[in-house]
């Protein structure tokens, strides 16, 4: 009798403390969890969070962030995976605890290279933004206090003096609103996401932020803290990686974020240089077709184009020797003499193949990477044509490629709705002459592989790649940089455990 | 300054590095007051030597050591990189992942080739007095934003030696900026977007942000002289077609019809402006001016904390011109084609008049002192003066900060 009473008492006390631990449905993840958990929980929490972040990523390119569709789909996923999503839901403790722990586990997997860190931060920020926007006004105040973000509001006199500038720099506000709202003087560094897109007035290293834009400030703060934390985590990683129980899981987690990354060449040497022109028309996605044509026309490509196209060619099976021959023969026709090519460009091609410098074997860019980073400027031909080309020019190009007018209209509609990968999928359907693309496109090399499959008659069953590294990848030291350079444990017991994980990471 | 042969560099560089390079102010600049421990020692330099040999991760225990090494190696080109967590020359003794770039000046590189689609007088590496105005405009626009919007106090504008300008922003706080912050600054300063596949590269919507309106007011005074007269952008159907592509469709036809009736670019621009008045709320007029004149930055140069950029006072191996600071007070008069080449400077040294009796040069005199007078005999002098003023300003400002701090702490 006494035991059970004691137990109940203890449980109630524990419950009270639990409330204190997670007073809000969202947090900045400043303190790592300090309890013990089972390996099973460790794995499951991490996998669930990774699934969630991948959904966040996909929804982010398919829908406008913050739109109703986006929010409802994200909410569905969050509920399904049992993460916290509503501030006022009672008994949210388990979900919040899972949120807390899973975040810190994924930090371990995603701190190891610039690419991984960037991806992780981006998805965590999008997730945070969604949850923050679900907070009502009262809770916003409470949360801001909780995370110590209080900036000084400007006086009425100052606001009057700056009224015109404030009106012109803050979109969506009328003169009356400017008068009504509080404006906060925020140091430049804290308002990065706002001034970056010129949505705020800057004067003498301060940004003047209306209270309606505070979410951007909070996000900025969140990003800065997370970025610093990841850098610190990277430094303490060797200790974690030495734990044999964790190493295989962490490695597999960070591998999976781009799915098959085409770093391991499956068809080495099967492409012949004579066929590249024909291949570029038949099987290259539009971005690579464009780059190839620019290279042929100008006998030159700038750095961004060389990287994007060069790595793509590596991914389709071009050997280092072929690549050197290909680029050299083209550049020589231009302004570059053989000597200069050997000294400069050849070095960087070998670098891409992992034969120089850090000897990292670079991975071909995924669609996400091409769409979201390094936009092209004057003189560049890289990027995603559906994202970066003028719609008029894109239309003309598609017309010149004999795409039927209805198809072009459909593509342009998708582009207008910012569904760039869907537009490319449409392009695939129209050029390969199939009704249904049959896969979800997120990598140019995937486009090529699928096209080749069709042309060679029939698709094979897709196998999830989990082979050990090829001899091409460098292994001289424990330098942890690129995701593909992390060795998968050769422990067979761990491998059988991983087989189950494969199922989680299959692409649709 | 004709007469520079790249082949003569091996003979000229030793003289340049021995007697002309301004090691004094240069070392003071990069030491930043010796406030932070080993700041100079943890800085990366890279040298490009003869035969395109490139060496990175050079670091030195003192400015004097750097000087000795430069005089020994006679580099064709010198780049300045980041201040790292450890001395770059000892990076191999450090744990992987622990060797990180920590601080660096915020830098901008504005290159004339990025304007090839809008300048008709030259292309790629060529420049002339007509298109140099683009650099003048770029400096005005960017500098205003740096000072007024970002609150920058210490920045140095430098001629790259061939076809552009660099800017070095040296404020203490800015040197600590992350990659994201640097990229954000570039994004803020960017109005011209798109590659060869984009026709209309500037798109303005209401409300017009103060950054844009300030920049427009800086660009406008140059537009007629530079674009209409100099570049003659409405001078022929071939060139005005490109401009007409940037106005709203409803106006295009009538413009194309009426342009041939006008005499020159100036008249055609007036016509365009009149038509646009009836076409509010379009901003085509401003958009055209910006597309043809607004600065184009290379984000990759500015974003990376570890990015290496050509050092001020480095020699450009192709043109022989020295990468000299630009005096902002005399910006309009700056002529890149009048910047001294290394061969010209060495000639000047040779033909400099002898010292007067009272100050006769003698072997016992210390090198630095002799050198201080050497560059003064040459055309390099005014540029070194600009650099010295820049360094002095930072010293003064630093002293002021220290005083403020000690006042607050009550140290006397």
């Amino acid at each position: 009798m006494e035991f059970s009473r004691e137990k109940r008492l203890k449980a109630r006390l524990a419950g009270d403390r639990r409330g204190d631990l997670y007073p809000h449905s969202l947090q900045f993840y400043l303190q790592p969890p300090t309890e013990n958990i089972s390996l099973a929980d460790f794995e499951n929490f991490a996998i669930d969070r990774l699934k969630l972040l991948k959904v966040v990523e996909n929804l982010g390119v398919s829908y406008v962030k913050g739109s109703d569709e986006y929010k409802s789909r994200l909410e569905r996923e969050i509920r399904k995976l049992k993460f916290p999503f509503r501030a006022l839901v009672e008994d949210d403790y388990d979900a919040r605890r899972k949120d807390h722990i899973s975040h810190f586990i994924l930090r371990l997997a995603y701190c190891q290279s610039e690419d991984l860190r960037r991806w992780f931060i981006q998805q965590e920020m999008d997730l945070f933004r969604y949850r923050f926007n679900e907070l009502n006004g009262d809770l916003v105040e409470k949360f801001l206090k909780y995370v110590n973000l209080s900036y000084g509001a400007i006086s009425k006199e100052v606001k009057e003096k700056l009224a015109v500038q404030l009106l012109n720099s803050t979109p969506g506000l009328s003169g009356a609103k400017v008068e009504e709202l509080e404006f906060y003087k925020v140091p430049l560094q804290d308002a990065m996401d706002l001034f970056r897109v010129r949505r705020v007035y800057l004067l003498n290293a301060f940004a003047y932020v209306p209270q309606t834009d505070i979410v951007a400030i909070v996000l900025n703060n969140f990003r800065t803290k997370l970025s610093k934390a990841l850098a610190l985590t990277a430094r303490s990683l060797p200790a974690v990686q030495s734990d044999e129980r964790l190493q295989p899981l962490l490695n597999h987690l960070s591998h999976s974020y781009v799915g098959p990354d085409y770093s391991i060449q499956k068809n080495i040497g099967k492409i012949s240089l004579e066929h590249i022109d024909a291949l570029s028309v038949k099987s290259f996605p539009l971005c690579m077709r464009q780059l190839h044509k620019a290279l042929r026309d100008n006998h030159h490509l700038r750095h961004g184009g060389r990287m994007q196209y060069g790595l793509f060619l590596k991914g389709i099976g071009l050997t280092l020797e072929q690549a050197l021959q290909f680029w050299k023969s083209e550049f020589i026709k231009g302004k570059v003499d053989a000597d200069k090519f050997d000294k400069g460009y050849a070095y960087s091609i070998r670098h891409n193949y992992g034969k120089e410098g850090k000897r990292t074997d670079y991975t071909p860019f995924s669609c996400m990477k091409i769409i979201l980073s390094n936009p092209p400027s004057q003189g560049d031909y890289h990027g995603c044509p559906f994202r970066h080309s003028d719609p008029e020019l894109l239309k003309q190009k598609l017309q010149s490629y004999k795409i039927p007018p209805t198809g072009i209209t459909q593509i342009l509609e998708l582009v207008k709705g910012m569904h760039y990968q869907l537009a490319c999928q449409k392009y695939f359907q129209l050029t390969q002459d199939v009704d249904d693309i049959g896969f979800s496109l997120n990598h140019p090399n995937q486009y090529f592989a699928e096209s080749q499959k069709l042309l060679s008659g029939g698709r094979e069953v897709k196998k999830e790649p989990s082979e050990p590294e090829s001899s091409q990848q460098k292994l001289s030291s424990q330098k942890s940089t690129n995701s593909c350079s992390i060795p998968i444990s050769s422990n067979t017991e761990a491998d059988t455990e991983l087989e189950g994980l494969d199922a989680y990471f299959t692409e649709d | 300054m004709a007469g520079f042969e790249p082949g003569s560099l091996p003979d000229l560089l030793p003289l340049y590095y021995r007697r002309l390079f301004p090691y004094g102010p240069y070392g003071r600049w990069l030491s930043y007051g010796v406030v932070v421990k080993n700041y100079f020692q943890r800085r990366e330099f890279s040298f490009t030597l003869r035969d395109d040999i490139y060496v990175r991760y050079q670091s030195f225990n003192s400015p004097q050591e750097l000087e000795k090494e430069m005089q020994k190696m006679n580099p064709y080109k010198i780049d300045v990189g980041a201040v790292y967590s450890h001395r770059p020359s000892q990076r191999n003794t450090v744990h992987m992942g622990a060797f990180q770039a920590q601080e660096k000046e915020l830098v901008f590189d504005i290159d004339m080739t990025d304007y090839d689609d809008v300048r008709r007088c030259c292309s790629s590496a060529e420049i002339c007095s007509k298109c140099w105005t683009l650099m003048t405009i770029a400096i005005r626009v960017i500098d205003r934003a740096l000072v007024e919007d970002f609150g920058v106090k210490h920045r140095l504008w430098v001629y790259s030696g061939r076809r552009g300008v660099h800017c070095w922003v040296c404020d203490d706080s800015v040197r600590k900026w992350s990659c994201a912050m640097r990229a954000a600054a570039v994004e803020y300063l960017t109005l011209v977007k798109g590659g060869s596949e984009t026709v209309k590269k500037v798109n303005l919507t209401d409300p017009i942000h103060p950054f844009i309106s300030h920049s427009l007011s800086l660009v406008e005074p140059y537009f007629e002289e530079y674009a209409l007269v100099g570049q003659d952008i409405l001078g022929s159907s071939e060139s005005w077609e490109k401009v007409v592509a940037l106005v709203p469709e409803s106006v295009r036809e009538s413009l194309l019809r009426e342009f041939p009736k006008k005499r020159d670019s100036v008249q055609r621009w007036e016509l365009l402006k009149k038509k646009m008045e009836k076409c509010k709320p379009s901003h085509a007029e401003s958009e055209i001016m910006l597309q043809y004149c607004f600065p184009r930055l290379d984000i990759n140069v500015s974003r990376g904390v570890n990015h290496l950029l050509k050092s001020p006072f480095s020699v450009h191996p192709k043109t022989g011109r020295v990468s000299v600071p630009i005096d902002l007070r005399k910006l309009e008069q700056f002529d890149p084609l009048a910047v001294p080449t290394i061969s010209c400077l060495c000639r000047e040294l040779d033909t400099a008049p002898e010292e007067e009796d009272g100050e006769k040069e003698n072997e016992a005199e210390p090198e630095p002192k002799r050198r201080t007078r050497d560059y003064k005999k040459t055309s390099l002098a005014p540029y070194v003066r600009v650099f010295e003023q820049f360094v002095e300003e930072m010293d003064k400002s630093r002293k002021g900060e220290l005083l403020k701090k000690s006042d607050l702490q009550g140290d006397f």
Side-chain angles (χ1 to χ4, degrees):
Chain A
M1 280 300 138
E2 259 170 281
F3 278 123
S4 59
R5 221 191 321 145
E6 237 175 35
K7 259 199 195 146
R8 260 184 283 130
L9 202 64
K10 274 207 182 120
R12 218 183 305 132
L13 286 173
D16 288 344
R17 250 183 293 132
R18 293 177 354 158
D20 287 340
L21 199 50
Y22 301 121
H24 295 271
S25 66
L26 70 171
Q27 57 163 301
F28 270 17
Y29 309 105
L30 297 174
Q31 295 296 337
T34 52
E35 48 179 294
N36 297 327
I37 64 170
S38 64
L39 270 183
D41 271 352
F42 190 92
E43 275 179 27
N44 293 328
F45 283 6
I47 289 169
D48 279 353
R49 191 181 195 87
L50 185 57
K51 277 188 189 167
L52 178 61
L53 293 185
K54 288 182 103 180
V55 165
V56 167
E57 179 184 30
N58 285 329
L59 290 178
V61 280
S62 312
Y63 302 95
V64 175
K65 292 183 201 175
S67 66
D68 289 331
E69 267 270 41
Y70 177 88
K71 288 200 290 198
S72 64
R73 279 169 193 259
L74 187 47
E75 180 183 320
R76 211 183 312 154
E77 200 63 31
I78 290 178
R79 272 190 207 247
K80 197 166 85 177
L81 294 165
K82 301 211 177 47
F83 282 105
F85 70 99
R86 277 286 153 75
L88 301 175
V89 168
E90 295 298 309
D91 281 336
D92 210 22
Y93 173 75
D94 285 328
R96 295 179 189 189
R97 172 179 170 265
K98 178 174 174 176
D99 181 53
H100 182 210
I101 294 174
S102 61
H103 170 89
F104 274 90
I105 299 173
L106 284 194
R107 274 196 197 181
L108 298 174
Y110 282 85
C111 63
Q112 299 171 65
S113 78
E114 187 58 46
D115 276 345
L116 290 174
R117 285 196 287 262
R118 207 179 295 161
W119 183 87
F120 182 66
I121 292 175
Q122 181 63 52
Q123 312 322 321
E124 285 284 342
M125 275 181 64
D126 284 346
L127 179 62
F128 186 94
R129 183 189 299 115
Y130 164 77
R131 287 146 112 191
F132 185 85
N133 284 331
E134 294 292 299
L135 293 174
N136 65 36
D138 206 30
L139 285 166
V140 170
E141 290 265 5
K142 287 210 184 97
F143 183 71
L144 285 179
K145 249 213 197 100
Y146 178 62
V147 292
N148 289 324
L149 283 181
S150 20
Y151 300 109
I154 60 176
S155 67
K156 253 201 162 21
E157 294 82 43
V158 174
K159 215 200 304 182
E160 261 169 42
K161 208 167 59 148
L162 300 176
V164 175
Q165 288 93 319
L166 293 177
L167 181 60
N168 284 331
S169 29
T170 345
L173 288 184
S174 64
K177 269 277 170 177
V178 169
E179 248 188 80
E180 177 194 314
L181 289 172
E182 289 287 4
F183 275 79
Y184 298 90
K185 206 171 155 189
V186 176
L188 203 58
Q189 309 236 28
D190 290 357
M192 187 176 74
D193 280 323
L194 280 177
F195 81 71
R196 190 165 59 88
V197 287
R198 285 191 299 265
R199 282 178 50 111
V200 78
Y201 180 55
L202 282 191
L203 183 62
N204 209 15
F206 281 98
Y208 291 78
V209 185
Q211 62 193 85
T212 42
D213 274 330
I214 279 298
V215 62
I217 306 292
V218 178
L219 271 177
N220 205 17
N221 208 284
F222 178 76
R223 181 233 301 276
T224 312
K225 290 191 160 74
L226 183 54
S227 186
K228 279 206 185 101
L230 283 178
L232 275 172
T233 312
R235 291 221 271 274
S236 12
L237 201 55
V240 175
Q241 281 187 321
S242 62
D243 188 325
E244 295 159 347
R245 300 169 296 171
L246 303 182
Q247 196 197 35
L249 170 71
L250 293 178
N251 289 339
H252 205 215
L253 280 174
S254 58
H255 252 88
S256 73
Y257 97 91
V258 280
D261 61 8
Y262 302 95
S263 61
I264 303 165
Q265 294 173 265
K266 293 190 200 165
N267 301 305
I268 305 175
K270 289 217 184 120
I271 308 290
S272 120
L273 287 180
E274 305 153 336
H275 298 152
I276 282 198
D277 287 321
L279 278 174
S280 76
V281 174
K282 273 191 298 196
S283 291
F284 281 11
L286 191 57
C287 55
M288 302 303 173
R289 186 172 174 177
Q290 177 174 293
L291 279 165
H292 180 77
K293 183 155 190 310
L295 177 61
R296 287 284 192 227
D297 288 344
N298 304 323
H299 309 300
H300 188 268
L301 272 183
R302 280 179 162 197
H303 181 258
R306 295 202 299 272
M307 284 299 279
Q308 185 175 322
Y309 189 40
L311 288 173
F312 169 77
L313 289 175
K314 184 175 83 145
I316 69 174
L318 222 64
T319 63
L320 175 59
E321 289 67 38
Q322 285 178 307
L324 286 169
Q325 194 190 334
F326 174 69
W327 291 97
K328 187 170 182 176
S329 70
E330 206 48 62
F331 270 54
I332 286 184
K333 292 188 198 145
K335 294 188 198 157
V336 178
D337 63 57
D339 212 31
K340 180 166 180 197
F341 180 86
D342 288 332
K343 277 186 198 155
Y345 299 102
Y347 174 89
S348 79
I349 295 172
R350 282 201 301 277
H351 202 271
N352 283 348
Y353 279 75
K355 301 286 182 219
E356 298 283 354
K358 278 195 305 212
R359 295 179 195 275
T360 320
D361 207 8
Y362 289 93
T363 49
F365 298 165
S366 62
C367 291
M368 202 66 72
K369 180 156 181 174
I370 294 174
I371 290 171
L372 294 175
S373 56
N374 198 20
S377 23
Q378 173 56 30
D380 287 324
Y381 293 92
H382 63 264
C384 172
F386 301 104
R387 163 78 177 86
H388 297 118
S389 280
D390 226 44
E392 243 339 282
L393 286 180
L394 180 61
K395 181 170 163 188
Q396 286 169 20
K397 186 170 283 185
L398 294 172
Q399 281 168 339
S400 73
Y401 293 161
K402 311 277 198 308
I403 311 284
T406 39
I408 297 185
T409 316
Q410 286 172 318
I411 290 181
L412 291 176
E413 271 306 308
L414 288 166
V415 165
K416 205 158 143 202
M418 304 209 293
H419 306 308
Y420 309 118
Q421 282 153 278
L422 295 179
C424 192
Q425 282 179 202
K426 193 95 210 131
Y427 173 80
F428 182 96
Q429 275 171 257
L430 294 161
T431 50
Q432 310 296 318
D433 201 26
V434 285
D435 285 328
D436 176 24
I437 189 171
F439 64 95
S440 186
L441 176 66
N442 51 34
H443 202 294
N445 287 89
Q446 179 192 23
Y447 184 111
F448 179 82
E450 292 290 336
S451 166
Q452 287 286 289
K453 255 188 237 162
L454 280 176
L455 291 170
S456 67
R459 314 185 196 219
E460 315 151 314
V461 174
K462 227 163 45 118
K463 257 203 97 184
E464 192 68 14
S466 59
E467 36 291 19
E469 298 196 338
S470 75
S471 51
Q472 265 195 324
Q473 301 192 5
K474 63 94 212 142
L475 239 295
S476 49
S477 60
Q478 281 298 303
K479 283 187 208 166
S480 49
T481 45
N482 207 296
S483 59
C484 69
S485 65
I486 300 164
I488 297 182
S489 162
S490 53
N491 184 329
T492 36
E493 229 182 317
D495 278 342
T496 36
E497 279 179 305
L498 289 175
E499 259 181 71
L501 289 174
D502 275 344
Y504 289 110
F505 301 130
T506 324
E507 297 294 318
D508 284 329
Chain B
M1 302 257 169
F4 169 73
E5 294 294 315
S8 56
L9 277 175
D11 297 316
L12 300 172
L13 287 171
L15 195 54
Y16 180 73
Y17 287 125
R18 197 159 282 282
R19 294 176 65 186
L20 291 170
F21 189 93
Y23 296 102
Y26 192 77
R28 271 176 30 235
W29 167 38
L30 293 176
S31 302
Y32 284 101
V34 201
V35 173
V36 176
K37 195 162 171 230
N38 288 330
Y39 202 73
F40 182 86
Q41 290 77 356
R42 289 181 286 127
R43 168 84 66 170
E44 179 192 1
F45 295 88
S46 77
F47 292 160
T48 306
L49 308 173
R50 232 179 140 140
D51 296 327
D52 281 331
I53 297 172
Y54 182 64
V55 286
R56 262 195 82 171
Y57 297 114
Q58 305 297 292
S59 61
F60 307 95
N61 284 323
S62 64
Q64 289 75 16
E65 207 182 273
L66 166 65
E67 177 182 336
K68 280 208 191 69
E69 190 70 9
M70 280 165 67
Q71 287 164 348
K72 180 165 137 221
M73 308 297 283
N74 293 306
Y76 274 38
K77 191 163 161 274
I78 302 170
D79 289 337
V80 177
V83 175
Y84 283 79
S85 51
H86 304 79
R87 290 160 204 247
S89 57
Q90 297 174 350
R91 71 196 179 287
N92 294 316
T93 66
V94 176
H95 259 312
M96 232 47 64
F99 179 68
Q100 314 246 358
Q102 288 184 334
E103 296 189 17
K104 195 175 70 74
E105 295 73 13
L106 170 64
V107 292
F108 297 101
D109 180 351
I110 307 178
D111 191 326
M112 203 70 92
T113 35
D114 290 338
Y115 297 78
D116 277 358
D117 60 321
V118 290
R119 58 173 180 149
R120 301 178 56 212
C121 50
C122 308
S123 73
S124 94
E126 309 162 315
I127 57 168
C128 68
S129 55
K130 278 202 235 158
C131 50
W132 185 257
T133 313
L134 288 170
M135 294 295 113
T136 308
I137 296 174
I139 294 176
R140 288 229 182 274
V141 168
I142 303 292
D143 202 65
R144 183 217 67 82
L146 288 175
V147 171
E148 290 177 14
D149 301 357
F150 291 109
V152 163
K153 303 227 165 33
H154 306 290
R155 75 277 183 217
L156 184 71
W157 285 92
V158 183
Y159 170 52
S160 75
R162 188 162 62 153
R163 61 191 188 199
V165 295
H166 300 157
C167 181
W168 295 78
V169 180
C170 303
D171 292 36
D172 286 342
S173 53
V174 178
R175 298 203 310 275
K176 299 186 170 67
W177 278 10
S178 64
C179 297
M181 195 61 186
R182 291 162 204 254
V186 173
E187 230 185 293
Y188 177 85
L189 297 168
T190 299
L191 283 180
V192 181
K193 298 189 198 154
S196 356
E197 299 295 300
T198 313
V199 172
K200 186 150 177 287
K201 298 188 164 85
V202 181
N203 292 289
L204 302 178
T205 48
D206 285 312
I208 300 292
H209 190 278
F211 167 74
I212 301 179
S213 33
H214 279 134
S215 305
L216 269 168
S217 62
L218 287 174
V219 169
E220 261 175 287
Y222 290 96
F223 186 72
E224 183 173 319
E225 176 68 42
Y226 165 73
L228 299 176
V229 177
Q231 296 293 319
D232 205 17
I233 63 173
L234 298 172
S236 68
S237 65
E238 194 197 328
S239 32
W240 75 54
E241 264 161 30
K242 292 196 190 127
V243 178
V244 172
L246 306 176
V247 304
E249 249 191 277
S250 54
V251 187
R252 281 183 210 162
E253 214 190 319
S254 65
L255 278 180
L256 289 171
R257 230 183 318 123
E258 294 176 45
F259 268 174
K261 299 185 197 153
K262 297 292 174 179
R263 203 182 39 220
D264 57 23
S265 286
V266 177
Q267 281 195 346
R268 290 182 194 115
W269 181 248
E270 290 304 312
L271 177 61
L272 190 147
K273 282 203 284 192
K274 259 207 204 80
K275 295 258 182 220
M276 287 317 303
E277 247 166 62
K278 306 184 196 127
C279 209
K280 307 278 186 183
S282 168
H283 293 286
E285 213 185 301
S286 305
E287 287 164 343
I288 293 170
M289 282 198 281
L290 294 173
Q291 181 151 337
Y292 277 82
C293 302
F294 191 84
R296 301 169 179 210
L297 303 173
D298 184 348
I299 189 170
N300 294 313
V301 169
S302 308
R303 171 178 25 211
V305 179
N306 55 0
H307 187 98
L308 290 146
L309 186 64
K310 184 134 166 283
S311 171
F313 294 103
S314 185
V315 176
H316 196 294
K318 292 210 177 79
T319 62
R321 295 201 198 276
V322 178
S323 201
V324 292
I326 299 175
D327 189 346
L328 289 183
R329 296 166 304 189
K330 304 190 186 139
L331 184 56
E332 305 297 326
Q333 296 93 304
F334 182 82
D335 179 8
L337 301 168
V339 168
T341 61
I342 186 177
S343 43
C344 152
L345 290 172
C346 291
R347 252 198 318 269
E348 286 173 359
L349 267 184
D350 280 341
T351 58
E354 282 299 327
E355 293 300 310
E356 285 165 6
D357 276 329
E359 303 174 36
K360 217 190 220 118
E361 278 195 32
N362 56 58
E363 292 303 317
E365 194 178 41
E367 269 269 3
K369 235 188 167 185
R370 195 168 353 136
R371 184 173 44 250
T372 320
R373 276 181 269 143
D374 273 349
Y375 79 76
K376 283 191 186 160
K377 301 177 195 161
T378 70
S379 329
L380 200 60
Y383 301 104
V384 177
R385 187 74 204 114
V386 173
F387 187 56
E388 279 173 343
Q389 280 168 346
F390 167 71
V391 180
E392 272 158 30
E393 266 306 311
M394 283 204 292
D395 280 340
K396 232 192 295 178
S397 169
R398 221 179 343 257
K399 284 206 186 82
E401 281 297 316
L402 284 173
L403 273 174
K404 245 197 279 175
K405 250 194 226 154
S406 67
D407 278 349
L408 286 171
Q409 290 169 344
D411 296 341
F412 291 97

